[in-house]
Amino acid sequence: MSDMGNPPASRQPLPGQPIVAFDFDGTLTIRDSFTSFLRWRAGPGGWALGLVKMAPALAAYARDRDRGAIKAASVKIFLKDVSREELQADAARFADHVWSQFMRPDALATWEDWGRRGAHRVIVTASPELTVAPFAQRLGAEGLLGTHLTFDDQDQITGAFSSPNCRGEEKVRRLRQAFGPDMVLAGAYGDTSGDTEMIAIAEVKGFRVFQERP
């Protein structure tokens, strides 16, 4: 992995090395990491105020179920004008703070098993790469593919994304972009409809197979 602020699409697997893709939120973790991060970072008062500001976006989500739009709204309200350096530092502290209560033991066991078998393990997540990067580093992930935040010329978050929300067919597109159009997944693991397409192209199909809590 490169530095946590600029996680790689992935170092390329060796010829014949199996590629295994893991969703992050709800699969390796017990709950959504980005919402948890925003809530932790804002504190109780800031979180409550932010939710008030998000009321229009929440109402729109109730109508259209547009996950990308609600995520963009949360970035704009909770992270706009935060510097990349500050976000990196906060994400690292958050990962350290929640790790022992956040990661599924059975998922970690499967992750480690694939590692012992020499697999190229990549996390494919709808959460921003920057906030998942410290977890990926701690796991020893060979790759990380996620949603990209947009930064201005002062290296501060603009409140928008520079890539599509990384879920559904976008997960497959990003994997093929990283590893080539003929990529084959030895395994894939996920827990929501946003993982269906990724799991469908894998030899080992792991849908909601992890249930343990720390």
Side-chain angles (χ1 to χ4, degrees), residues 16-207:
Q17 185 179 18
I19 301 170
V20 182
F22 285 77
D23 170 56
F24 189 65
D25 300 308
T27 300
L28 287 166
T29 72
I30 61 171
R31 64 176 65 94
D32 182 82
S33 65
F34 189 50
T35 301
S36 298
F37 169 71
L38 294 179
R39 187 168 190 162
W40 170 85
R41 186 179 183 278
W47 179 249
L49 179 60
L51 289 181
V52 171
K53 293 179 179 178
M54 282 192 65
L58 290 167
Y61 178 71
R63 294 191 303 271
D64 58 33
R65 314 304 289 182
D66 187 334
R67 292 173 182 265
I70 191 70
K71 186 180 297 180
S74 67
V75 170
K76 186 173 184 179
I77 287 167
F78 288 102
L79 294 178
K80 190 174 187 300
D81 296 331
V82 173
S83 71
R84 187 191 305 265
E85 182 178 9
E86 181 180 349
L87 183 66
Q88 290 171 342
D90 287 346
R93 284 194 294 270
F94 173 71
D96 288 340
H97 178 70
V98 302
W99 181 274
S100 62
Q101 298 87 35
F102 212 59
M103 309 302 291
R104 292 191 183 277
D106 51 352
L108 294 181
T110 298
W111 175 273
E112 293 299 333
D113 181 59
W114 278 110
R116 286 189 294 271
R117 292 158 66 182
H120 185 99
R121 299 162 301 177
V122 56
I123 294 171
V124 190
T125 177
S127 288
E129 283 186 3
L130 283 174
T131 60
V132 176
F135 292 95
Q137 287 186 318
R138 189 159 174 170
L139 286 164
E142 283 73 37
L144 170 61
L145 302 170
T147 304
H148 295 156
L149 297 169
T150 298
F151 291 82
D152 63 19
D153 56 7
Q154 301 299 312
D155 215 23
Q156 294 178 326
I157 296 170
T158 66
F161 292 112
S162 61
S163 70
N165 192 30
C166 189
R167 72 183 308 274
E169 190 59 41
E170 180 65 12
K171 289 196 172 190
V172 175
R173 190 191 73 79
R174 293 287 301 281
L175 282 162
R176 288 177 172 154
Q177 182 182 55
F179 302 117
D182 298 324
M183 170 216 65
V184 175
L185 292 179
Y189 299 88
D191 72 308
T192 72
S193 61
D195 303 311
T196 302
E197 291 88 345
M198 179 175 76
I199 292 171
I201 64 170
E203 295 170 0
V204 175
K205 304 180 192 299
F207 183 69

